[in-house]
Amino acid sequence: MTPKDRAYYKRFYPITTRWMDNDIYGHVNNVTYYSYFDSAANRFLIEECGLDIHSGDIIGFVVSSGCEYYTPVAYPQQLEAGLAIEKLGNSSVRYNIGIFKAGEDYAAASGHFTHVFVTRAQQKSVRIPDVMRAAMANIQCNDSGER
């Protein structure tokens, strides 16, 4: 699989690597990338979609995820997470998140995960609210993966 370039992504968020992110081999451990993905998507949901993570009526459950690794990164590198929406459904959304070394044109890793939105109280799937849907549509890719 070929890494995506910056043009694929619409939103970027800085990531500061931490000493504890490195594994014994001297690079960021594979599981840490999932934390980066989760942080980027949730920052978008909170800041641009109005998701109230503490007391809102709906929450998102991750139901699927995956990652491709292209080149290692290590503490103390500065990173950026690029975010794009690959699929926007009725109650679910699939994100693609690229992890870039600061200033690099191609992702060092590219991951995806799917959120299904549910009611907090009953944990039953619910349509994504219009305000959230509009913000998500702003960073959605078309079928070819192009902007």
Side-chain angles (χ1 to χ4, degrees):
M1 187 169 248
T2 304
K4 292 179 174 29
D5 67 11
R6 285 183 174 272
Y8 183 81
Y9 301 97
K10 185 82 171 202
R11 294 290 181 278
F12 286 87
Y13 300 104
I15 297 172
T16 301
T17 56
R18 304 162 303 171
W19 174 249
M20 66 184 247
D21 293 348
N22 281 3
D23 62 18
I24 197 165
Y25 303 112
H27 54 74
V28 170
N29 189 273
N30 61 313
V31 300
T32 304
Y33 288 83
Y34 288 88
S35 173
Y36 298 159
F37 301 157
D38 203 32
S39 293
N42 280 290
R43 184 168 174 183
F44 170 74
L45 289 171
I46 293 164
E47 292 179 358
E48 296 192 42
C49 296
L51 183 67
D52 180 349
I53 60 172
H54 298 291
S55 58
D57 292 335
I58 68 167
I59 56 176
F61 285 167
V62 174
V63 297
S64 174
S65 64
C67 185
E68 300 288 332
Y69 306 94
Y70 307 111
T71 186
V73 299
Y75 175 84
Q77 286 180 309
Q78 291 296 310
L79 306 176
E80 297 168 294
L83 182 66
I85 302 291
E86 290 184 324
K87 183 177 180 189
L88 182 54
N90 186 47
S91 62
S92 66
V93 61
R94 180 179 162 116
Y95 310 93
N96 186 292
I97 302 103
I99 303 300
F100 292 82
K101 295 175 184 177
E104 293 287 321
D105 291 332
Y106 290 92
S110 178
H112 63 85
F113 74 87
T114 301
H115 261 151
V116 171
F117 291 90
V118 300
T119 58
R120 184 184 297 269
Q122 293 84 24
Q123 297 187 353
K124 301 288 184 188
S125 66
V126 63
R127 178 175 160 72
I128 297 170
D130 290 341
V131 171
M132 289 178 67
R133 182 175 295 285
M136 291 173 178
N138 284 335
I139 67 166
Q140 187 173 10
C141 297
N142 66 26
D143 292 337
S144 69
E146 299 298 324
R147 297 227 146 276

